[in-house]
Amino acid sequence: MTTATQPRRAAPAPPPRPKKTTQARTRRREAIALVMPSLIPILVLSVAPLVIGIVLAFTDTRLVRHPDFGFAGIDNFVRLGGNSLFWDSLRIGLIWTVGVTVLQLAAAMGLALLLNSGLKLQGLTRVLALIPWAMPPVVVAIMWQMIYSANGGPLNAFLGSIGLPDGINWLGDFNTALPAVIVVGVWVGMPQTTVTLLAGLQQIPTELHEAAAVDGAGAWRRFTAVTWPSMRPIVSSITSLNFIWNFNSFSLVYVLTAGGPGGKTMVPVLFVYLEAFKNREIGYAAAMGLVLVIVVVALLAIYLRSQFRGDRPERGR
Amino acid sequence: MRWSVRPAQYLALVLYLLFLGFPLLWLISASVKSSAELNSLSVNLIPSEWHWDNYGEALSRQGLLHSAFNSLLVALASTVLAILISVPAAYVLARLKGKLRIAGVTWILVSQVFPVVLVILPLFLVLRTLGLADSLVGLTLVHTTYILPFALWMLQGYVAAIPVDLEEAGAMDGATRFTVLRTIVFPLLAPGVVATAMFSFVSSWNEFFFALVLLQSPENYTLPITLTMFIGGEGKVALGPLAAGAVLAAIPSIAFFSLLRKKLTGGLMAGAVKG
């Protein structure tokens, strides 16, 4: 572990600085000079689109040659209320997001604990663990299409060889498509989570475990009493990030199933994309996108609140 | 650890390795199988005969090489832009306390919450007005936007790891801040910048969604888009060349990440694990 991995706690109070010295003023000016060249592109490239995106949600903009930005008030949102397909996709999106996030965490925690218990094959596992995360999503999707293939795919061949039904069209069957896509999501996201958790595990002082062992705690008791509590901040931050990324992930599902069969894997970002670029309803799609943002933020708030019961999260002031 | 636990642990580890590694092995195996073997329903991980023609065919098909070149251009340009913009900003973000820092961190987090599909709408409208929608220049700008938060996040972690004392020592000797930056901070930051640049490059190289929305003309396609064009209708897929193309597309990312494993996790961790 390099020093870069040390969690940075709130810095100790700085020594009282003499106020309004020329030195302080130069410091400010230097800081502004440093930040200016980067602030303008950041504002233009990322803050502006966010703001305009929100504004678009209240217009009836369509994707035609010369769009006119007509103010539409909350019409889009009213219309959205009656759009059952959108709410269906939101439900599917939540199953996808929660499923992938929870399974990712469970699988990654298992692997991180294994690696932390000093087994051999560490190097191999670490390389293998980062590869899924590094690969282009399109390639991942192509790869898993081959694995799941109904004619001659290795998964069906394996199931057949142990006497189970082997003609399943995993990505094309109404009942198996969503679970199959979730497994791919876990495959992609697990490695990065494993690496993060492993770094956290390695920061737990071994004395704690030894003390617990001396007190006669078994492996499970040591996990619940020592490992889990020390890992909680890391778990909640990585889970929050994974939740956001999974909810917003597009490419994997788009290439794997394009939302099919029969809309069974139509995650909301896919739905919004089709609304904007196939139905050409930019304003309406922006309203949907805004609803997605609100849903994610609300769910995150609920999750983080449950994590920090009693102890208030650090507030930068 | 009692010894009886070990075999079970190794079994679990092997299962993990299979889950993580098998799909990749299967892809590589499919890329060197003959079409006859791919179409016969035999399932062998090791091909009966190694058949390298798929690679040649993939490279000659549908301008795969041309789109790889497009990907390369866009990835290089957006990486350079993102690094130039984020190095000074990351320094300030890591070193200065107060409103600016809070604003910066908040923006990084907020930018993650917004789905790209919402952000692309205004970008698309603006780019179309400028006549840049279906162009590599437009895609480069969008990729820069997409990479910025990650680059900033990683870099500020690397800056935070450089002890402030070093800078203060420099300042004691009467050097101006910019001299201190040039002679002390940047040399120490260089490895972090390299890691961030590689991460940025791979992010752009792999990126699919923005390319899908923006690029209309086949001569502008990037590699991921061209690959999806390989996937024809059901049953019309030339599996061998598709697998070969997919392997080629994955090579840069896998190479970079294998090289930079330690550095990268360090940088991402510095941002990710905040007590």
Side-chain angles (χ1 to χ4, degrees):
Chain A
M1 280 297 123
T2 59
T3 45
T5 64
Q6 293 301 322
R8 283 176 299 104
R9 305 237 168 270
R17 264 208 320 251
K19 282 208 165 45
K20 291 188 66 169
T21 56
T22 46
Q23 203 192 355
R25 230 174 289 142
T26 356
R27 276 184 67 93
R28 276 197 73 83
R29 225 175 285 137
E30 281 168 345
I32 290 167
L34 275 172
V35 110
M36 260 340 211
S38 49
L39 204 59
I40 292 163
I42 286 173
L43 286 174
V44 171
L45 287 174
S46 15
V47 180
L50 287 185
V51 176
I52 303 171
I54 295 169
V55 171
L56 279 175
F58 299 93
T59 67
D60 56 7
T61 311
R62 300 197 71 240
L63 193 58
V64 289
R65 186 139 300 285
H66 300 290
D68 52 334
F69 302 89
F71 187 68
I74 56 164
D75 291 2
N76 287 329
F77 297 93
V78 173
R79 213 175 126 196
L80 202 51
N83 188 339
S84 63
L85 285 175
F86 174 75
W87 300 108
D88 279 349
S89 86
L90 199 58
R91 192 179 48 82
I92 290 165
L94 287 179
I95 296 171
W96 149 265
T97 309
V98 173
V100 174
T101 309
V102 170
L103 291 172
Q104 243 173 26
L105 182 67
M109 184 59 95
L111 184 55
L113 287 169
L114 279 176
L115 289 175
N116 200 39
S117 62
L119 296 176
K120 299 223 169 11
L121 299 173
Q122 287 255 7
L124 174 66
T125 314
R126 275 165 177 268
V127 173
L128 262 184
L130 272 180
I131 281 175
W133 185 58
M135 283 175 81
V138 171
V139 173
V140 172
I142 290 168
M143 200 163 72
W144 280 91
Q145 277 177 334
M146 291 178 181
I147 300 280
Y148 283 136
S149 169
N151 35 25
L155 180 60
N156 278 325
F158 170 73
L159 291 175
S161 71
I162 56 172
L164 291 167
D166 63 348
I168 301 169
N169 181 1
W170 292 95
L171 292 170
D173 186 297
F174 273 44
N175 299 318
T176 56
L178 189 54
V181 174
I182 287 175
V183 168
V184 183
V186 173
W187 188 86
V188 172
M190 194 186 109
Q192 168 60 12
T193 310
T194 307
V195 172
T196 307
L197 292 177
L198 187 59
L201 285 174
Q202 286 167 343
Q203 286 172 356
I204 301 174
T206 42
E207 295 84 41
L208 285 179
H209 276 284
E210 282 159 8
V214 168
D215 292 343
W220 175 248
R221 184 86 187 84
R222 283 206 300 274
F223 177 76
T224 52
V226 177
T227 310
W228 187 250
S230 347
M231 291 289 285
R232 244 185 46 180
I234 294 181
V235 168
S236 43
S237 68
I238 192 76
T239 303
S240 308
L241 281 173
N242 282 343
F243 187 89
I244 295 171
W245 286 334
N246 294 331
F247 189 86
N248 291 338
S249 80
F250 171 93
S251 312
L252 214 53
V253 184
Y254 178 86
V255 183
L256 273 171
T257 61
K264 288 284 177 211
T265 58
M266 183 63 76
V267 291
V269 279
L270 208 59
F271 193 85
V272 177
Y273 161 80
L274 293 171
E275 193 61 46
F277 297 101
K278 294 288 176 279
N279 299 347
R280 301 175 167 267
E281 295 263 17
I282 296 266
Y284 193 31
M288 290 177 183
L290 197 55
V291 169
L292 298 187
V293 173
I294 293 164
V295 168
V296 171
V297 170
L299 290 170
L300 268 185
I302 293 167
Y303 169 71
L304 287 173
R305 180 153 296 192
S306 74
Q307 287 297 297
F308 292 108
R309 263 192 314 264
D311 48 59
R312 280 221 324 275
E314 243 178 58
R315 296 279 289 272
R317 281 195 57 86
Chain B
M1 274 300 162
R2 295 190 314 282
W3 279 106
S4 58
V5 182
R6 283 280 142 149
Q9 284 185 329
Y10 274 113
L11 180 67
L13 192 64
V14 166
L15 287 177
Y16 268 115
L17 289 177
L18 262 178
F19 174 62
L20 289 171
F22 181 80
L24 192 62
L25 291 176
W26 186 257
L27 179 77
I28 294 168
S29 147
S31 75
V32 291
K33 279 180 179 171
S34 65
S35 53
E37 186 170 5
L38 283 165
N39 292 333
S40 72
L41 295 183
S42 69
V43 184
N44 310 319
L45 186 59
I46 310 294
S48 51
E49 54 166 314
W50 293 67
H51 185 85
W52 292 101
D53 305 7
N54 289 330
Y55 283 87
E57 202 175 318
L59 286 174
S60 64
R61 276 180 63 151
Q62 297 177 11
L64 190 117
L65 211 52
H66 179 75
S67 51
F69 186 68
N70 286 346
S71 280
L72 182 71
L73 280 180
V74 171
L76 283 175
S78 47
T79 297
V80 169
L81 271 175
I83 293 287
L84 284 179
I85 294 170
S86 54
V87 166
Y91 175 78
V92 174
L93 203 60
R95 281 287 182 259
L96 291 185
K97 303 282 170 281
K99 287 201 180 73
L100 207 55
R101 182 175 167 74
I102 295 168
V105 172
T106 309
W107 167 72
I108 290 173
L109 290 174
V110 165
S111 70
Q112 292 306 295
V113 175
F114 281 76
V116 285
V117 73
L118 179 59
V119 178
I120 192 68
L121 302 176
L123 283 172
F124 183 79
L125 291 177
V126 170
L127 288 172
R128 206 177 55 159
T129 312
L130 298 172
L132 293 174
D134 181 15
S135 80
L136 295 181
V137 174
L139 187 64
T140 300
L141 286 175
V142 174
H143 276 191
T144 307
T145 308
Y146 159 75
I147 293 167
L148 263 178
F150 291 101
L152 255 180
W153 194 244
M154 279 176 77
L155 281 169
Q156 65 99 32
Y158 288 117
V159 173
I162 300 172
V164 188
D165 313 358
L166 289 177
E167 292 179 49
E168 279 162 359
M172 286 290 173
D173 299 342
T176 64
R177 176 175 284 263
F178 290 96
T179 314
V180 170
L181 283 181
R182 210 185 58 236
T183 56
I184 299 173
V185 180
F186 285 148
L188 287 172
L189 197 58
V193 170
V194 170
T196 308
M198 290 202 174
F199 180 76
S200 305
F201 181 94
V202 171
S203 302
S204 168
W205 175 273
N206 291 354
E207 202 285 322
F208 172 74
F209 174 73
F210 293 125
L212 175 77
V213 170
L214 290 175
L215 306 175
Q216 308 296 328
S217 331
E219 71 266 19
N220 289 334
Y221 285 171
T222 54
L223 193 52
I225 304 290
T226 302
L227 273 182
T228 57
M229 297 293 155
F230 272 39
I231 310 172
E234 187 60 44
K236 285 191 299 187
V237 190
L239 268 185
L242 175 64
V247 171
L248 291 173
I251 284 173
S253 48
I254 292 175
F256 282 153
F257 278 76
S258 312
L259 283 172
L260 283 172
R261 235 172 47 233
K262 283 210 167 64
K263 282 229 81 62
L264 197 76
T265 48
L268 286 176
M269 286 287 307
V273 186
K274 287 179 58 113

